[in-house]
Amino acid sequence: MAAMAIRTEGLTKRYGDVAALDHLDLEVAPGEVVGYLGPNGAGKTTTIRLLLGLISPTEGRGEIFGLDCQRQPVEAHRRLAFVPGEANLWPSLTGAETLRLLGRAWGSRGSWGSRGSRGSRGSRGQVDEAYRDELVARFDLDPAKKVRAYSKGNRQKVILIAALMTRADLLVLDEPTSGLDPLMEQAFRGCVREARDRGQTVFLSSHILSEVEALCDRVGILRQGKLVELGTLAEMRHLSALTVEATFAGVVPDLSGVPGVSSVQADGRVVRCQVRGPVAPLLKVLAAADVAELLSREPSLEELFLAQYGAGD
């Protein structure tokens, strides 16, 4: 059986009496895109630092493709690429020099401007240079400029390209689109989908819930260091309610007493409400009324997230 791309068992990190991460049990399969959600201080970055071997756990253990994150960090890092939310780069280097340096640090022996086989996955320890040049064009990066002249968004592009060009088995992304404009966010999403299609694994921590919703196969939600939910969006629908909007041509019925219906809001002949559980009682009431238009939708990831935390949390 192939090793999990990420596996943690009771992974815990305490700072004094504060549990930054509390007995995390998590498995991410190879080829899966998993979103990791939670507000500031929930434990997302702590999890990533433990997986990267940058800090030591108080209890438990973590593995990358079966490699112990603490005992075998060098071997584990050969299988992954990491994108932090804040790009700290060398200001006197150009974008091209930075990518060349980061490529060599990951294991590339090539030079800027040479070409590999286009579209092929780079062998372990080598950067696919043709793909690197393609990414530079897709992210509209001027590689001739020095890093000190780059905006925050352009610096973020550099580290995104540096990670993606490796075609690493595992991409660990911590707020990867910080500072990017909407067009570049779309370019990023396309790259993640292509990575998944190639069989790469993506572990994505992001505050942009629409991004996670669009890309991820499963989503985990952290609350005060604990993993409180993990599953597909379909599996997590129980956290929130179905939203229904009905427009009536005739008399507007009273929906407030219908079983499972809540948050009823009336605006003239338009009534909006939320439904938990079976929708049959609501449909029975609507069938007896003169409904001109009926709309319904499943809860978005943002609504699922707020259902777990509460709008004021």
Side-chain angles (χ1 to χ4, degrees), residues 209-250:
L209 300 186
S210 60
E211 183 174 83
V212 175
E213 187 169 19
L215 293 173
C216 296
D217 302 310
R218 289 192 299 154
V219 176
I221 297 179
L222 279 179
R223 185 185 180 109
Q224 296 178 345
K226 291 181 177 291
L227 186 65
V228 293
E229 292 289 342
L230 177 65
T232 65
L233 287 176
E235 292 169 342
M236 295 170 65
R237 297 296 184 192
H238 70 279
L239 292 174
S240 190
L242 181 73
T243 298
V244 175
E245 179 181 301
T247 302
F248 297 91

Side-chain angles (χ1 to χ4, degrees), residues 142-221:
D142 182 354
K145 284 187 177 181
K146 289 188 179 295
V147 168
R148 68 165 61 94
Y150 282 148
S151 64
K152 174 179 171 59
N154 279 320
R155 292 195 299 272
Q156 196 67 20
K157 291 178 189 179
V158 172
I159 58 175
L160 269 174
I161 294 168
L164 291 167
M165 71 184 185
T166 66
R167 298 185 187 267
D169 295 322
L170 171 63
L171 296 173
V172 179
L173 312 178
D174 189 8
E175 304 294 342
T177 57
S178 175
L180 296 189
D181 63 44
L183 287 176
M184 294 300 100
E185 286 182 14
Q186 289 300 317
F188 164 76
R189 294 185 189 190
C191 290
V192 170
R193 293 188 183 101
E194 292 170 6
R196 176 177 56 192
D197 292 343
R198 286 191 295 266
Q200 293 170 260
T201 308
V202 180
F203 188 66
L204 171 62
S205 172
S206 177
H207 281 115
I208 304 175
L209 300 186
S210 60
E211 183 174 83
V212 175
E213 187 169 19
L215 293 173
C216 296
D217 302 310
R218 289 192 299 154
V219 176
I221 297 179

